Amino acid sequence: MRRALVPAAVVVAVLAAGCGTTDSHGGAPNAGGPLRGLAQRAGIAIGTAVDAGALSRDDGYRAELPREFSSVTPENAMKWAALEPERGKPDWAGADALVDFAGAHRMRVRGHTLVWYSQNPDWLTGGNFSRAELVGLLRAHIAAVVGRYRGRVGTWDVVNEPIADSGSGLRDSIWSQVIGPDYIATALRAARAADPQAKLFINETAADGIGPKSDALYALVKGLLAGHVPLDGVGFQMHAELAHGLVPGVRRNFRRFAALGLEVNVTEADVAVKLPATAADRGRQGEIYREMLDDCLAVRACRSFTVWGFTDRYSWIPTGEPGFGAATLLDDNLDPKPAYDAVARALRDDAR
Ligand code: XIL
């Protein structure tokens, strides 16, 4: 327990500096959290993906969440497979619980996600629908979901991961194959119609720096804007791995999207570590989180920074990337890691 080792002199110094006065982690001072207040002062939202199961069962998790974060993204609960596992029989329970929780704690909600190649129900992917049918289903889905949460979900990741990993064209999916490239504009227009106030985003993975994939994303977005398709921002996921660190050119990339008049958000930050994680790994991980957040804070259009889970207890990494883990800010006991301190420090030092 790192926090038990903090010498009294440090405690006094932290208290005197006016930070760390809140017992954000069960009674111990840390680098000056909670993050939520620091982020507010820095003028950005600080968010996390939320695991619906943990939210319903884990009291420690439920307590930590609104203390540290001002924004939530349902990790899976708003994906099509979760919302409509059987055709015409929607299951809103998980999504409703999160939106209600967020409302009760004055947190923003980032809706995730309306159109994706993955986590779709079998009836949809296996249904052999015609183009016209699929357009109809997509429009109806977006009208139902965005309409249900109108005024409560402020931002939507309308389209998730549209670009092929190679950067050459759109990613293969039932949407791109059956509807064609138009599915993106169709989805964005449907979302705008269902909630004219909500901010609409395209969210992309592995397009954080400058490269063929982010170039393709940039071209896509520029084309949409030229065609007056409603689009307010671009989300950069920023899943990273300790051994590789951050790709070069993140700030330059953010700035070129911002120059199109768009908001830029970091939407799914985490730093996967090859297990077992050493103390040195945890230190280096903190530096990478800090770089990520500094890249956001350096660009005025970057107004929200979301981590993909805030505790190793529920992180997707050990399942998604076997052999890796320890990717988040808090450990399995919800105690802060160096990454938490690094994020707090970045927010506190922010010179916006
Ligand atoms: C992941 C979830 O974290 C996992 O629980 C789930 O099994 C698969 O999806 N990019 C995204 C997210 O946009 O929706 C993904 O979430 C992680 C990668």
Side-chain angles (χ1 to χ4, degrees), residues 11-28:
V11 176
V12 170
V14 169
L15 292 176
C19 42
T21 51
T22 312
D23 291 343
S24 65
H25 296 283

Side-chain angles (χ1 to χ4, degrees), residues 75-76 79 112 116 119 160-161 237 239 268 308 316:
E75 185 168 355
N76 291 299
K79 291 170 180 171
H112 177 87
W116 193 23
Q119 291 184 276
N160 200 30
E161 305 183 343
Q237 294 186 5
H239 292 290
E268 304 188 14
W308 204 244
W316 74 303

